[in-house]
Amino acid sequence: MTLYANNDALMCKIFAMTLQGEVQDWFHTLSPYLIQNFDELSLVFSKEYSSYRSIKNRSDQLFSMKKDLNESLRTYVKRFKAEKAKIVGCDDSIACSASKKDSQQITNYVEN
């Protein structure tokens, strides 16, 4: 990456391509146009992962998430993924069960 140090856009794209798993999920929850250059990306990433979650979140916290009445499904899914990304080693089956639980509550609300 040293070869491209003067090209912020390319540095950001190359950095994003190196991410995997939960970190990649976190990256995709960032708001569009939030990051203006690679220095800002470095700062946001460092703030998020410098301590690598000294406060451990547990996967059962996903079950307490609820979609707000005025919240779009897209926004809710983005928020859900952001919370999942905060849980180190979150099992996908638990996250899937938690999201199904809330989708069932949404369906019941719409039907009534």
Side-chain angles (χ1 to χ4, degrees):
M1 288 183 62
T2 307
L3 297 173
Y4 304 106
N6 294 329
N7 188 336
D8 277 338
L10 186 58
M11 292 278 287
C12 291
K13 286 181 182 181
I14 291 172
F15 177 77
M17 290 173 29
T18 65
L19 303 177
Q20 297 178 358
E22 294 156 359
V23 179
Q24 187 178 51
D25 290 344
W26 165 82
F27 180 79
H28 289 295
T29 63
L30 295 175
S31 299
Y33 310 108
L34 173 71
I35 308 297
Q36 300 299 318
N37 56 50
F38 188 72
D39 288 337
E40 288 180 15
L41 178 58
S42 298
L43 180 64
V44 169
F45 180 81
S46 296
K47 282 183 177 180
E48 186 70 18
Y49 290 99
S50 63
S51 64
Y52 200 71
R53 302 279 173 243
S54 58
I55 300 172
K56 302 279 190 232
N57 289 336
R58 296 180 9 207
S59 54
D60 62 346
Q61 290 173 291
L62 293 176
F63 286 94
S64 64
M65 290 190 67
K66 296 195 182 332
K67 181 183 170 296
D68 297 328
L69 292 177
N70 297 328
E71 183 178 31
S72 72
L73 185 56
R74 177 173 292 187
T75 303
Y76 170 73
V77 169
K78 192 173 187 178
R79 188 168 55 90
F80 187 89
K81 284 185 171 184
E83 286 302 311
K84 180 184 179 286
K86 293 177 183 178
I87 301 168
V88 177
C90 181
D91 188 302
D92 285 339
S93 63
I94 292 173
C96 186
S97 295
S99 66
K100 285 180 182 177
K101 174 210 59 91
D102 197 44
S103 66
Q104 183 60 42
Q105 290 176 348
I106 293 167
T107 303
N108 291 340
Y109 178 79
V110 170
E111 289 174 353
N112 295 328

